[in-house]
Amino acid sequence: MMDTARRHEFRVLAAAHPRLPVLLTAGRLARRLRRLPRIGWVTSDPLIARRILNDAEHFTLLGEGGVGHLWAQVLGDWVYEIFDGPGHHQLRARTRDLFTDESARRLTDRVIGPRLARAGAELRAGRSVDVADLARVLVGRIVADLLVLPVADRDEAYREIFATGEELAALALGTTASTHLPAATIGRAREIVGRLTANVAGSWRTAPAETVLGRCRDLGLAQRQAEGLATLLMVAGTETAASAMARTVAILHDTGAQHRLRAEPELLADAVREGLRVTTPAPLIGRAVAADVTVDGRRLRAGERVLMLTWTANNAAGGFDLDRGYLPDQRQLWFGAGRHLCLGAPVARAEISGLLSTLLDTGRPWRIRNRRYRRGVLIPSYASLPVSCG
Ligand code: HEM
């Protein structure tokens, strides 16, 4: 029988897309590497997924079926250089230390610390806090800071930023069949990107060295590269982080693991890692085959597509368990692998840790009532998750 945590997680997936739980669970059958009509090659094996993600010679995210192909239509052909070519290598080499665990913690302390403190005070006063909404506001705050957006200091303004990022990311919805975007979608996406990056140019020269834009400048990035990176951070780091935050809070509640974590706070990093593994907010990663290659005895041809079911690969290890420890096969496949490994991983971990610490610091167990799942979204998540302590 399915336990409570898993049941809610399945509902989160099903609300995002009715076929998602089926694809992700049946995906186990594809385990190693299998070809499916209309989808292409599918794997749910963590080692094969990593082998593909590490093979930049034969797999690309620029071809049909990859996110690079999507973004090139929106941002321009220079994306081909930045996303996967030598320009990508240079960009990643320069931004290797853009976020470290230490700098990410400083970023989250500064940008979301005060808002988290307010949420903690509300919980201690016996009020209910919608953690799903709070997560969207927190992520909106981080994005506003990264993109130097002038924002009125109200939750509503940050919700709007989150929604804008979400709209941009929704471009990718339905791209399991094709990554060719209609002209109207491209126009709308360009308009959003223009709005979001409007201040990057202006702040480029003056941004203080401790801000991300200032760091990009000091690391030697060109302004256009920084604008592209800012857009990427926004798209990659909004829904994913908010999803992981709310779902990890729910899982700790549903499994009862919150009680152990309260008694043993040194397990916080394990809770964050397990939350990321079990939720795997970006449940699939796509690539195009750039050149014929044999993987696991199967011949993959240039132009074909591969879908890596990372949710399935990560969850094959079992449900949320604070004692599970590091899994060498999965490693941190929830952040991808290889040259496109998530650049914001330290920020995501710091955001989740910050939220969990706020809940744990109330000293009381949290209860959840009347949760709702988000419907028809790219990244499965909660619509609302009202939490109260005491
Ligand atoms: C729980 C939260 C997050 C998850 C699960 C996640 C997951 C991922 C995954 C799977 C990829 C690789 C995609 C691919 O190979 O096609 C990726 C890339 C990326 N992520 Fe994250 N991400 C998260 C949060 C963030 C945050 C907070 C930021 C920024 C502050 C961020 C920035 C990026 C960027 C810039 C890339 C592209 C890297 C490249 O192509 O070289 N992500 N992320």
Side-chain angles (χ1 to χ4, degrees), residues 28-195:
R28 269 188 176 206
L29 305 174
R31 199 166 154 72
R32 295 191 71 84
L33 192 57
R34 188 181 276 206
R35 198 165 165 185
L36 297 179
R38 290 210 311 275
I39 297 182
W41 293 99
V42 177
T43 181
S44 62
D45 182 282
L47 298 180
I48 293 180
R50 187 165 321 98
R51 184 241 173 274
I52 291 172
L53 291 170
N54 276 307
D55 182 352
E57 199 185 319
H58 297 102
F59 297 94
T60 172
L61 47 64
L62 296 183
E64 160 82 38
V67 289
H69 179 235
L70 277 175
W71 291 112
Q73 296 165 74
V74 175
L75 300 173
D77 280 352
W78 60 270
V79 161
Y80 286 117
E81 165 77 359
I82 300 280
F83 264 56
D84 232 0
H88 178 264
H89 179 71
Q90 189 201 42
L91 182 69
R92 287 300 300 241
R94 288 212 170 125
T95 52
R96 187 169 294 131
D97 299 324
L98 188 61
F99 299 117
T100 60
D101 282 331
E102 178 52 30
S103 71
R105 204 180 46 75
R106 277 203 307 272
L107 173 76
T108 48
D109 281 356
R110 174 172 62 81
V111 179
I112 62 175
R115 183 63 187 85
L116 277 172
R118 207 172 95 206
E122 283 167 9
L123 288 169
R124 275 193 294 276
R127 290 208 289 281
S128 163
V129 168
D130 181 350
V131 164
D133 176 63
L134 176 65
R136 292 191 285 270
V137 168
L138 297 174
V139 164
R141 281 181 168 269
I142 297 278
V143 168
D145 188 79
L146 296 179
L147 275 68
V148 209
L149 294 172
V151 183
D153 192 11
R154 286 183 287 107
D155 282 358
E156 195 45 49
Y158 295 110
R159 284 187 195 109
E160 257 175 50
I161 293 183
F162 182 91
T164 311
E166 192 173 34
E167 192 188 339
L168 195 54
L171 277 172
L173 265 179
T175 52
T176 39
S178 166
T179 46
H180 284 285
L181 298 174
T185 312
I186 296 174
R188 174 82 187 119
R190 282 189 184 152
E191 187 212 319
I192 296 174
V193 169
R195 205 156 16 105

Side-chain angles (χ1 to χ4, degrees), residues 121-362:
E122 283 167 9
L123 288 169
R124 275 193 294 276
R127 290 208 289 281
S128 163
V129 168
D130 181 350
V131 164
D133 176 63
L134 176 65
R136 292 191 285 270
V137 168
L138 297 174
V139 164
R141 281 181 168 269
I142 297 278
V143 168
D145 188 79
L146 296 179
L147 275 68
V148 209
L149 294 172
V151 183
D153 192 11
R154 286 183 287 107
D155 282 358
E156 195 45 49
Y158 295 110
R159 284 187 195 109
E160 257 175 50
I161 293 183
F162 182 91
T164 311
E166 192 173 34
E167 192 188 339
L168 195 54
L171 277 172
L173 265 179
T175 52
T176 39
S178 166
T179 46
H180 284 285
L181 298 174
T185 312
I186 296 174
R188 174 82 187 119
R190 282 189 184 152
E191 187 212 319
I192 296 174
V193 169
R195 205 156 16 105
L196 288 173
T197 55
N199 282 316
V200 173
S203 317
W204 182 241
R205 246 175 265 121
T206 52
E210 68 273 14
T211 63
V212 168
L213 269 193
R215 294 279 304 284
C216 286
R217 181 198 55 224
D218 295 349
L219 290 165
L221 259 63
Q223 182 184 312
R224 197 182 60 179
Q225 285 181 318
E227 280 171 2
L229 186 68
T231 309
L232 269 183
L233 293 176
M234 164 98 191
V235 171
T238 41
E239 283 180 279
T240 44
S243 163
M245 281 195 258
R247 287 163 75 187
T248 304
V249 168
I251 289 169
L252 281 165
H253 167 272
D254 298 339
T255 54
Q258 61 159 321
H259 305 297
R260 168 125 185 260
L261 189 55
R262 202 168 300 100
E264 297 173 61
E266 64 278 11
L267 296 179
L268 182 62
D270 298 277
V272 172
R273 190 186 57 243
E274 274 293 281
L276 283 163
R277 179 182 69 81
V278 171
T279 60
T280 308
L284 337 148
I285 301 181
R287 287 290 185 270
V289 182
D292 292 5
V293 61
T294 302
V295 178
D296 199 42
R298 317 296 300 266
R299 192 73 182 148
L300 280 59
R301 306 269 173 206
E304 291 180 332
R305 301 173 59 211
V306 192
L307 206 55
M308 284 150 280
L309 306 181
T310 45
W311 184 96
T312 316
N314 294 332
N315 277 276
F320 184 96
D321 183 352
L322 285 175
D323 292 319
R324 191 170 300 282
Y326 172 78
L327 294 167
D329 281 2
Q330 278 80 7
R331 290 195 205 172
Q332 47 175 345
L333 204 50
W334 42 92
F335 286 131
R339 65 194 322 205
H340 295 287
L341 180 73
C342 178
L343 185 64
V347 179
R349 283 193 295 263
E351 287 174 316
I352 303 167
S353 305
L355 176 62
L356 296 186
S357 298
T358 302
L359 286 166
L360 293 167
D361 287 351
T362 64

